[in-house]
Amino acid sequence: MTDSADETAPRKRGLSWVIVPVLIFAGLVALFSFALTTGDPSKLPSALIGKPVPPTKFAAVEGLTDKGQPLAGFTSAALKDGEVSVVNFWASWCVPCVQEHALLLELKSRTGVPIYGVNYKDQPVAARRFLGRYGNPFKAVGADSKGRGAIEWGVYGMPETFVVNGAGEI
């Protein structure tokens, strides 16, 4: 009798080591399922809403012209001119940027609001090709080749657009 009792004891202990990880896994699945189904996925809160635009300077995209004239970059000071403006971070390699670009062109034609573009981690030739192919809605286009400006602005991913009031606040 003792032999059969000894044989069953390890099975019980072995079974508990299987059940505990399964319960932990089930708990994590429930937690992640809850997190994925709550909230509005189209809204990513920006920590900069209501705050001044970060002090940044975006150099012009090399070789970019508009109507034969070189198109300048811009600084955050240009966004404090008393006029509402839009700042759009984009890249030529970004598929959603192509989809959004048509909306930016329409926004410019309907409202005339100044739109400033920031070309993110892109080659100048690719940026020029993108704007040549899809059109240029931007008043100025700056290059953010290292991505430091995007970090300062709290950009989550491409494309990302900010509305800036005339006082230079997001």
Side-chain angles (χ1 to χ4, degrees), residues 46-54 164-165 167-170:
S46 174
L48 297 179
I49 293 176
K51 296 183 180 171
V53 295
V164 180
N165 68 14
E169 297 170 338
I170 297 173

Short mmCIF file of all heavy atoms in Angstrom, two decimals, residues 46-54 164-165 167-170:
data_model
loop_
_atom_site.label_atom_id
_atom_site.label_comp_id
_atom_site.label_asym_id
_atom_site.label_seq_id
_atom_site.Cartn_x
_atom_site.Cartn_y
_atom_site.Cartn_z
N SER A 46 -1.77 62.75 -26.95
CA SER A 46 -0.46 63.39 -27.01
C SER A 46 -0.22 64.10 -25.70
O SER A 46 -1.09 64.81 -25.19
CB SER A 46 -0.42 64.39 -28.17
OG SER A 46 0.79 65.11 -28.12
N ALA A 47 0.97 63.94 -25.18
CA ALA A 47 1.34 64.62 -23.93
C ALA A 47 1.53 66.11 -24.15
O ALA A 47 1.61 66.87 -23.20
CB ALA A 47 2.62 64.00 -23.38
N LEU A 48 1.57 66.55 -25.42
CA LEU A 48 1.84 67.95 -25.72
C LEU A 48 0.60 68.80 -25.95
O LEU A 48 0.72 70.01 -26.17
CB LEU A 48 2.76 68.05 -26.94
CG LEU A 48 4.13 67.42 -26.79
CD1 LEU A 48 4.93 67.56 -28.08
CD2 LEU A 48 4.88 68.04 -25.63
N ILE A 49 -0.59 68.21 -25.90
CA ILE A 49 -1.80 68.99 -26.14
C ILE A 49 -1.92 70.09 -25.10
O ILE A 49 -1.83 69.84 -23.90
CB ILE A 49 -3.05 68.09 -26.15
CG1 ILE A 49 -3.00 67.16 -27.35
CG2 ILE A 49 -4.34 68.92 -26.17
CD1 ILE A 49 -4.12 66.16 -27.43
N GLY A 50 -2.09 71.33 -25.59
CA GLY A 50 -2.20 72.48 -24.70
C GLY A 50 -0.86 73.06 -24.29
O GLY A 50 -0.82 74.05 -23.56
N LYS A 51 0.23 72.49 -24.77
CA LYS A 51 1.56 72.97 -24.42
C LYS A 51 2.21 73.62 -25.63
O LYS A 51 1.83 73.36 -26.77
CB LYS A 51 2.43 71.81 -23.92
CG LYS A 51 1.90 71.22 -22.63
CD LYS A 51 2.80 70.15 -22.11
CE LYS A 51 2.21 69.59 -20.82
NZ LYS A 51 2.90 68.42 -20.36
N PRO A 52 3.21 74.48 -25.40
CA PRO A 52 3.91 75.11 -26.53
C PRO A 52 4.63 74.07 -27.39
O PRO A 52 5.07 73.04 -26.89
CB PRO A 52 4.93 76.03 -25.86
CG PRO A 52 4.52 76.15 -24.44
CD PRO A 52 3.70 74.94 -24.10
N VAL A 53 4.74 74.38 -28.68
CA VAL A 53 5.47 73.48 -29.56
C VAL A 53 6.92 73.41 -29.08
O VAL A 53 7.46 74.39 -28.58
CB VAL A 53 5.42 73.94 -31.04
CG1 VAL A 53 4.02 73.87 -31.58
CG2 VAL A 53 6.00 75.31 -31.22
N PRO A 54 7.54 72.24 -29.21
CA PRO A 54 8.92 72.12 -28.78
C PRO A 54 9.84 73.01 -29.62
O PRO A 54 9.60 73.17 -30.82
CB PRO A 54 9.25 70.65 -29.01
CG PRO A 54 7.96 69.96 -29.19
CD PRO A 54 6.99 70.99 -29.67
N VAL A 164 -1.72 73.52 -34.56
CA VAL A 164 -1.05 74.48 -33.69
C VAL A 164 -1.82 75.79 -33.75
O VAL A 164 -2.08 76.32 -34.84
CB VAL A 164 0.41 74.69 -34.15
CG1 VAL A 164 1.13 75.70 -33.26
CG2 VAL A 164 1.17 73.37 -34.17
N ASN A 165 -2.19 76.32 -32.56
CA ASN A 165 -2.90 77.59 -32.56
C ASN A 165 -1.93 78.74 -32.86
O ASN A 165 -0.73 78.53 -32.96
CB ASN A 165 -3.66 77.80 -31.24
CG ASN A 165 -2.74 78.02 -30.04
OD1 ASN A 165 -1.55 78.26 -30.16
ND2 ASN A 165 -3.31 77.89 -28.86
N ALA A 167 -0.74 80.98 -31.12
CA ALA A 167 0.24 81.28 -30.06
C ALA A 167 1.34 80.23 -30.00
O ALA A 167 2.23 80.30 -29.15
CB ALA A 167 -0.47 81.36 -28.72
N GLY A 168 1.31 79.27 -30.89
CA GLY A 168 2.34 78.24 -30.92
C GLY A 168 2.09 77.11 -29.94
O GLY A 168 3.03 76.46 -29.48
N GLU A 169 0.82 76.84 -29.61
CA GLU A 169 0.48 75.75 -28.70
C GLU A 169 -0.23 74.64 -29.48
O GLU A 169 -1.06 74.91 -30.34
CB GLU A 169 -0.45 76.25 -27.59
CG GLU A 169 0.17 77.30 -26.70
CD GLU A 169 -0.83 77.95 -25.77
OE1 GLU A 169 -2.06 77.91 -26.07
OE2 GLU A 169 -0.40 78.50 -24.76
N ILE A 170 0.09 73.41 -29.13
CA ILE A 170 -0.51 72.25 -29.79
C ILE A 170 -1.92 72.04 -29.26
O ILE A 170 -2.15 72.05 -28.07
CB ILE A 170 0.35 70.99 -29.57
CG1 ILE A 170 1.71 71.21 -30.22
CG2 ILE A 170 -0.33 69.75 -30.11
CD1 ILE A 170 2.72 70.13 -29.96
#
